[in-house]
Amino acid sequence: MDMAPWDRWMPWRRRRPVTAAARTIASWDAAVRLPVRAHLLWLAQQISEARTTAQAALDQPQAARTRLPDVLDLTLAPQLHAAHMPAGAQQLTDAVHAARRSAGQLATATPRAARRTLTHLADDLAQADELLERACHDVRGADLSSADLTHLYLGGLRWDESTRWPEQLREQIRSGSDLVDGIHQLRDR
């Protein structure tokens, strides 16, 4: 079957590239994620806004479709692309750029193809949003005993009894946390 020209720019029909990249980032060790957590939090917020816009485009096609390419115009922080960082940032950059190109092509797609692509894109962004949210806040079971957490924002982190904290921070972490649904969560300060 010969594909229409716009079909080549719509990869969400068969796969979830933003989710795959977010899954790679979420697989980073917690000691690697925490120093760049502020950048990941910003990224998660941007992906969440893109998800909301893609879902809105399903209900109000013209207004949201024209805004979607702008919302997907994301540039990841250079710290996420640093040589010492594991794979994932470039994968996410490429996936978001492909999403932006696809969003720009929606105006020329048939209504049915555009709706199908928007549905898959919104689903991809929702799954990526969930994964990045977890990557930003979940350190359950992580070994952070040798990590330098001195100047890092730790508010909102969720941890459990198997999480290993640096010796000098253990009591401060424990006293600064609340138990929520069986999981400890550090209070924001």
Side-chain angles (χ1 to χ4, degrees), residues 1 3-4 6-7 10-16 54 57-58 65 102 106 109-124:
M1 175 197 273
M3 290 193 296
W6 50 264
D7 203 29
M10 312 249 175
W12 289 270
R13 291 179 59 186
R14 293 176 199 88
R15 55 192 170 92
R16 308 268 184 292
L58 290 166
R65 282 184 199 173
S102 292
L106 288 173
T110 65
R112 182 176 176 203
R115 182 161 187 77
R116 186 174 50 233
T117 297
L118 278 169
T119 300
H120 290 293
L121 177 57
D123 182 53
D124 186 20

Side-chain angles (χ1 to χ4, degrees), residues 39-62:
H39 302 294
L40 291 175
L41 286 166
W42 177 86
L43 180 60
Q45 179 182 359
Q46 299 306 308
I47 294 292
S48 180
E49 182 180 351
R51 173 191 50 80
T52 301
T53 304
Q55 288 171 334
L58 290 166
D59 297 327
Q60 303 166 1
Q62 290 309 320

Side-chain angles (χ1 to χ4, degrees), residues 83-100:
H84 67 280
M85 296 301 287
Q90 188 60 47
Q91 181 185 2
L92 186 60
T93 297
D94 294 344
V96 168
H97 286 172
R100 185 170 193 273

